[in-house]
Amino acid sequence: MIRNELKKKAQTHLHGHYGNWSLIAILPCAVLFIYFFSIIFLFQSSAHVSDPSNDYHSWQDEYTEKSNRTYSNYEKGYDDGYSDGYDEAFYQDDYYEEDNFTEKNLHSLTSPASVSRKNGAHTVTYTQTTTVANGFFAFLAFLIGTILCLGTIMYRGMVQWAAVDNVENRSFNLKTVFLAFIRENGKRTVIANLLVTLYTFLWSLLFVIPGVIKQLSYSMTNYLLKKDSELSPKEAMALSQALMQGYKLEYLVFSYSFVLWQFATFFSFGLAGIYVIPYYGVSEILFFEQIIAEKHHLFSQEREAGFADF
């Protein structure tokens, strides 16, 4: 079955079931909005927190204030004395003749200055932001980000389980999928998804490409856990590797055929995900079922391989 046929069949399965998907599809959009607003609030709060005990004032502050006040008083007294002397005719009009003025200027160059220069020092204040508060907010942001990453990993598995219910025409919603995925099968699903993430990360250290290959190999793990409640996490991962052998490149091309829809989700701030998430989830499950149909011979010897009845 070609990709276009899978997508048309997925739309047929989704007809009348978008209401079941509503809360599941809108959940990541709501979580992302809450996360970004929380991060903005935390950094704004940390920017306004400062320690008053760390305020530093220059040693020249008090000296500058006194110096400026002394000079102002001196200047005021000088102006008043000059005005009184002029009124009492102590100063004559010819007092500032050019010869006298030049002589007095030369004399002033060789005499010590009688008026002190105004101190030009200025106040310097340093405010040091509290490092303890910054460290707390950074740790809190890191903790929220880690929880969000783990939630994203588990959310992908929940979408696959909801898609299986959709394809098999079973009633489902966010509550039933969450209870089945976390409460009833939490040990299997959490361990399996953490192992897949860990193995993918370790393989990604070898120039990324091996990690991508491993991610493709483990892509059916959650689907197999849903289909067979007896499978252990490692059994589901091993069976996924066996089933995806020869289909990894085709699955990669299939996934990238939704890239425009992913861009639409990104630029709409997640709102397009209400349509894209169910559409991709059901199409993916149909792709997996096609692989099961083509590799059905593997299950004739599954007991010998250690797998429970599929």
Side-chain angles (χ1 to χ4, degrees):
M1 188 181 295
I2 61 177
R3 291 189 298 274
N4 290 334
E5 293 177 355
L6 284 175
K7 294 177 181 179
K8 290 179 181 179
K9 190 175 180 180
Q11 291 176 342
T12 302
H13 281 289
L14 284 168
H15 182 70
H17 289 89
Y18 279 105
N20 302 90
W21 281 96
S22 57
L23 291 179
I24 299 174
I26 205 172
L27 182 62
C29 179
V31 171
L32 284 176
F33 270 109
I34 294 173
Y35 174 72
F36 284 124
F37 279 114
S38 300
I39 295 300
I40 293 173
F41 174 77
L42 288 175
F43 278 104
Q44 285 182 343
S45 300
S46 63
H48 292 293
V49 175
S50 60
D51 189 357
S53 63
N54 289 329
D55 289 350
Y56 170 76
H57 298 281
S58 173
W59 63 271
Q60 297 177 342
D61 293 348
E62 185 178 355
Y63 175 76
T64 302
E65 183 180 355
K66 292 180 178 180
S67 176
N68 291 340
R69 184 172 62 250
T70 302
Y71 180 79
S72 298
N73 294 337
Y74 170 82
E75 188 178 31
K76 183 177 182 300
Y78 179 83
D79 291 339
D80 292 342
Y82 180 83
S83 299
D84 293 342
Y86 194 90
D87 293 338
E88 295 175 5
F90 287 116
Y91 303 131
Q92 304 297 328
D93 292 338
D94 59 350
Y95 182 76
Y96 286 105
E97 290 182 357
E98 184 175 356
D99 294 338
N100 293 333
F101 184 72
T102 303
E103 181 181 355
K104 293 180 182 298
N105 283 341
L106 293 175
H107 178 71
S108 64
L109 292 176
T110 59
S111 302
S114 59
V115 180
S116 301
R117 180 179 176 273
K118 181 179 179 180
N119 192 304
H122 59 278
T123 302
V124 180
T125 304
Y126 300 94
T127 301
Q128 181 179 355
T129 305
T130 306
T131 56
V132 175
N134 283 344
F136 171 76
F137 287 124
F139 172 75
L140 188 59
F142 171 77
L143 182 62
I144 294 174
T146 302
I147 295 174
L148 183 63
C149 290
L150 294 176
T152 302
I153 294 170
M154 304 307 296
Y155 176 78
R156 174 170 170 75
M158 290 177 57
V159 169
Q160 289 189 348
W161 281 42
V164 172
D165 289 337
N166 194 154
V167 171
E168 296 178 354
N169 292 319
R170 289 198 295 264
S171 178
F172 69 96
N173 53 43
L174 177 61
K175 181 180 178 180
T176 59
V177 173
F178 179 81
L179 291 177
F181 190 79
I182 300 297
R183 185 173 180 179
E184 299 174 8
N185 298 275
K187 184 177 180 180
R188 298 166 61 235
T189 56
V190 171
I191 292 176
N193 283 278
L194 290 179
L195 286 176
V196 168
T197 303
L198 177 62
Y199 292 167
T200 302
F201 171 75
L202 294 177
W203 279 98
S204 298
L205 298 178
L206 301 175
F207 302 105
V208 179
I209 295 178
V212 175
I213 295 174
K214 281 298 176 181
Q215 177 64 40
L216 296 173
S217 299
Y218 296 138
S219 58
M220 293 184 67
T221 301
N222 286 298
Y223 168 79
L224 295 172
L225 291 173
K226 172 67 173 177
K227 297 292 287 187
D228 190 348
S229 60
E230 300 297 325
L231 280 177
S232 67
K234 289 189 176 181
E235 288 174 345
M237 293 169 64
L239 184 56
S240 176
Q241 285 183 296
L243 290 170
M244 289 300 294
Q245 189 171 359
Y247 289 89
K248 289 188 284 290
L249 181 59
E250 186 175 350
Y251 176 68
L252 182 64
V253 174
F254 167 79
S255 299
Y256 275 101
S257 66
F258 288 86
V259 66
L260 294 180
W261 287 112
Q262 303 297 338
F263 279 126
T265 303
F266 177 79
F267 288 110
S268 65
F269 300 99
L271 295 179
I274 298 174
Y275 174 79
V276 176
I277 291 175
Y279 182 33
Y280 177 79
V282 173
S283 300
E284 185 182 39
I285 295 303
L286 293 175
F287 182 87
F288 292 157
E289 290 192 344
Q290 182 180 353
I291 295 176
I292 294 291
E294 294 178 1
K295 287 195 171 184
H296 195 269
H297 63 279
L298 293 176
F299 302 103
S300 61
Q301 300 176 349
E302 60 179 339
R303 290 187 181 276
E304 299 178 5
F307 301 113
D309 193 16
F310 189 74

